Amino acid sequence: MGPGRAGRAVAWAYIAALLLFLYVPLAPPLLFSLGGGGEAGTRAGAVTLRWYRQLWDNPLLVGGVQNSLLVGALVGLITPPLALLAAMAVRELRRPRLIVATVLLPLFIPGVSMGLASAFFFRQLGVTPSLLTITTVHVVWALPFAFLIILAVMATFDPMYLEAAYLHGAGRLRAFVDVELPLIRHGILGAAIFSVILSFNETVRTALVQGPNNTVQTYIWSTFLQVGLSPTLYALMSLLIAVTLGLVAVLLLVGARGAVSARGG
Amino acid sequence: MGALQGRVAGVARYALLVLPLAFVAGALLVPLGLMFVWSFWERAGFWIRPAFTLASYAEFFAGVRLSVLERSLVVAAGVTLLGLLLAYPIAYFLALRVRRDLARNVLLLFTIPFLVNYIIRTFSWVYLLSRTGPVNRALMAAGVTQRAVDWLLFSDFAVFVGLISSYMPFMIYPLWAALDGLDRRLVEASWLLGASPRVTFLRVTLPLSMPGVFAAVIFGFVGTFGESAVPIILGGVGYQLMGNTITSALDVLNYPLAAAMSSVVVATMLAFLLVWYLAFDLRAVLGKIARWRF
């Protein structure tokens, strides 16, 4: 059976068209950020990096960059161990279905509702909005993704190795650290990078728990709401797209290396 | 001593394994539950005070906001349906007609733009769909229209474009996972028994992929139903969906109303999830990701 060559060509053309639809929006910020004309949309002048230089003259924005980096680093450090523990809980505790559903739940709660509930919760508890409240919300958001990545990598790990370690007298901890961890290491690293990417790209939840602290994303959002878009903002967006794509490249390298080591080792 | 040590280690291990669940409970479930409680409280100056009043719900369901709920439901259902129609053929083709490593690479291509903040991508649509933007210029150059089409931007159309480009990629994965995990012998059996490709699809493949379809519906619906940024950017002035209506209630410090509307959104999502949890096997959606007992 199967479609003929023409059918396959149509299918690939369709996929290419949808990919184009998804990738085209990545281009305009770069175009506008390099324009010298000033007005977005009238790229008359020569290519300039002036808007990129101006970014660093804005203390509010530089603070936002620092906050984003710090929060991203914290999210990247906190989320993978939590996700790893959750994945192990699925394997070792009773009611794994319920555990999976609980850990995946943040995927299914709309951003506004999650941000609002957290913001109210922190306020009632008397917790001042800070980078830690932002980090908490980001970790909740990133956890299901990190969990799925680690779960996928752990599924390629043969539990017989653990049995072998136990038979040789290793305790649970020893068996985990010496046998399982080296084999799923790239999954944990991948989960960390993915969490950082999600943290860098989160706006809606962050905006509700940020208090006076801006991240790059909430800076873009609030500036858009107050004064609209500008070449400087486009420059900022281009940088964020570049950073995200760079992190994706690292993620792919880690994944490729992991696949090689899993097969070779 | 050994037994005691063993028990301590056992308790420590259990505590560690339960930690992520406690975290989700404490940082998400409890706040969501309390938000529901606070939706019955009343406004007090710049914050809320304990009470039991249905005033916020009355304000929500009696006022113009009810039409916002209706519109949100219609838009979310429309985007979800369109997303499903766009995503299913891709998932079907990749799962059943393409080598698995190639399929994975294509899926990866769908993931990459999704990782870039959708708000940034949505800003781009403002330019792409504007009167002088590339879409209009292409339409005029092709002779489709003489004058620039102005319903492309700040319209339902723009909101649909923004929502579909933000959430449709997310719908491909559960569909692909369900179709990829499908037992091909069933399709072959249907074929051997003389069913046409169309009948085989309608009677075998489609029903077997329903867990993935339902998961995709949830993913599409959750994104669009509570979405707050896309309607602000692409809908134009006064375009209200649940998400941005909630944030505008916050702007006027009507916290109980925001909590009430948000609770309605969450309750809708939980109802979907409950049906999914009770009716379908999670494994069908997670595919090969988790092959342990459950």
Side-chain angles (χ1 to χ4, degrees):
Chain A
M1 202 178 67
R5 288 174 70 92
R8 292 189 78 86
V10 169
W12 283 117
Y14 172 65
I15 288 176
L18 268 180
L19 282 171
L20 187 71
F21 170 70
L22 294 173
Y23 276 83
V24 159
L26 300 183
L30 188 64
L31 293 179
F32 294 141
S33 68
L34 296 172
E39 281 284 317
T42 62
R43 301 175 283 107
V47 169
T48 170
L49 290 176
R50 139 166 88 116
W51 311 115
Y52 288 88
R53 283 194 295 274
Q54 279 188 8
L55 287 178
W56 312 108
D57 301 335
N58 181 341
L60 198 61
L61 178 55
V62 173
V65 172
Q66 287 166 350
N67 288 342
S68 282
L69 290 175
L70 191 57
V71 169
L74 284 172
V75 173
L77 286 174
I78 297 169
T79 315
L82 272 181
L84 175 64
L85 287 172
M88 295 177 81
V90 173
R91 189 170 58 185
E92 305 202 359
L93 297 186
R94 266 167 296 164
R95 319 216 49 182
R97 232 162 89 82
L98 192 63
I99 295 173
V100 171
T102 308
V103 178
L104 292 186
L105 192 66
L107 280 181
F108 302 106
I109 303 299
V112 175
S113 300
M114 195 200 276
L116 188 87
S118 310
F120 283 16
F121 186 57
F122 290 135
R123 184 158 171 183
Q124 282 297 61
L125 286 182
V127 178
T128 327
S130 67
L131 295 188
L132 287 181
T133 58
I134 297 176
T135 304
T136 307
V137 173
H138 283 194
V139 172
V140 176
W141 169 229
L143 184 62
F145 294 93
F147 170 71
L148 285 176
I149 291 173
I150 292 179
L151 210 55
V153 173
M154 278 170 81
T156 65
F157 168 79
D158 191 342
M160 287 297 277
Y161 289 132
L162 283 182
E163 299 293 331
Y166 298 149
L167 284 177
H168 284 84
R172 280 181 184 278
L173 186 65
R174 181 73 193 272
F176 171 73
V177 172
D178 284 354
V179 178
E180 188 168 13
L181 195 58
L183 288 171
I184 61 168
R185 205 177 42 199
H186 63 282
I188 296 171
L189 190 55
I193 299 167
F194 208 93
S195 307
V196 173
I197 294 174
L198 287 173
S199 170
F200 274 159
N201 284 290
E202 190 352 82
T203 306
V204 175
R205 296 164 183 80
T206 319
L208 289 162
V209 295
Q210 66 180 142
N213 313 285
N214 263 308
T215 65
V216 181
Q217 297 291 351
T218 63
Y219 174 83
I220 292 176
W221 182 237
S222 59
T223 312
F224 161 73
L225 290 179
Q226 286 157 20
V227 296
L229 298 172
S230 62
T232 323
L233 274 193
Y234 283 120
L236 192 54
M237 290 181 211
S238 304
L239 283 180
L240 275 171
I241 293 175
V243 168
T244 304
L245 295 183
L247 284 170
V248 170
V250 175
L251 188 65
L252 295 183
L253 282 177
V254 168
R257 187 169 297 174
V260 169
S261 78
R263 269 183 225 133
Chain B
M1 280 309 277
L4 182 65
Q5 248 178 1
R7 185 173 298 173
V8 170
V11 169
R13 185 177 138 265
Y14 187 77
L16 268 178
L17 292 178
V18 169
L19 184 68
L21 301 174
F23 175 72
V24 174
L28 186 66
L29 292 176
V30 170
L32 285 177
L34 287 173
M35 180 176 71
F36 182 61
V37 171
W38 292 327
S39 68
F40 297 103
W41 288 20
E42 59 190 13
R43 298 176 70 167
F46 294 114
W47 191 221
I48 49 176
R49 69 164 163 251
F52 182 79
T53 167
L54 292 170
S56 298
Y57 287 93
E59 197 176 343
F60 177 25
F61 287 114
V64 287
R65 291 183 184 85
L66 191 61
S67 64
V68 174
L69 177 63
E70 281 167 12
R71 182 193 287 197
S72 291
L73 287 171
V74 169
V75 169
V79 169
T80 306
L81 187 66
L82 272 174
L84 207 54
L85 291 176
L86 289 171
Y88 198 96
I90 298 177
Y92 181 88
F93 182 69
L94 292 179
L96 301 175
R97 297 280 181 269
V98 173
R99 283 199 326 274
R100 188 168 288 157
D101 54 336
L102 182 60
R104 280 185 194 283
N105 286 332
V106 176
L107 285 174
L108 192 69
L109 286 177
F110 278 100
T111 316
I112 292 169
F114 167 74
L115 288 172
V116 173
N117 186 343
Y118 73 93
I119 291 181
I120 293 180
R121 287 183 282 134
T122 306
F123 285 142
S124 294
W125 283 115
V126 176
Y127 161 68
L128 295 170
L129 297 175
S130 65
R131 287 185 63 87
T132 55
V135 174
N136 256 322
R137 268 182 282 159
L139 286 177
M140 284 192 282
V144 178
T145 172
Q146 298 291 307
R147 290 167 43 214
V149 183
D150 41 13
W151 51 261
L152 289 182
L153 187 58
F154 305 134
S155 59
D156 280 317
F157 176 81
V159 171
F160 268 69
V161 167
L163 290 174
I164 286 176
S165 74
S166 300
Y167 295 103
M168 188 272 290
F170 220 24
M171 301 174 72
I172 298 177
Y173 307 108
L175 291 171
W176 173 79
L179 287 164
D180 187 59
L182 182 139
D183 187 344
R184 279 151 216 235
R185 283 170 302 183
L186 297 171
V187 177
E188 283 159 19
S190 160
W191 195 57
L192 286 174
L193 290 170
S196 69
R198 208 172 66 112
V199 172
T200 302
F201 175 75
L202 290 177
R203 305 276 294 269
V204 180
T205 315
L206 185 62
L208 284 173
S209 65
M210 281 319 277
V213 170
F214 202 79
V217 164
I218 293 179
F219 278 127
F221 201 87
V222 69
T224 50
F225 188 49
E227 174 50 45
S228 58
V230 172
I232 294 177
I233 301 170
L234 291 175
V237 178
Y239 196 101
Q240 298 274 306
L241 292 181
M242 284 301 280
N244 57 326
T245 308
I246 291 171
T247 50
S248 50
L250 284 179
D251 292 339
V252 296
L253 307 181
N254 196 341
Y255 298 114
L257 179 62
M261 287 192 290
S262 191
S263 296
V264 170
V265 172
V266 172
T268 313
M269 290 327 303
L270 292 181
F272 265 104
L273 284 178
L274 193 65
V275 172
W276 186 36
Y277 187 79
L278 295 178
F280 296 111
D281 191 336
L282 279 172
R283 272 174 300 186
V285 180
L286 293 177
K288 312 267 180 317
I289 281 182
R291 55 178 185 192
W292 302 311
R293 45 163 192 118
F294 77 95

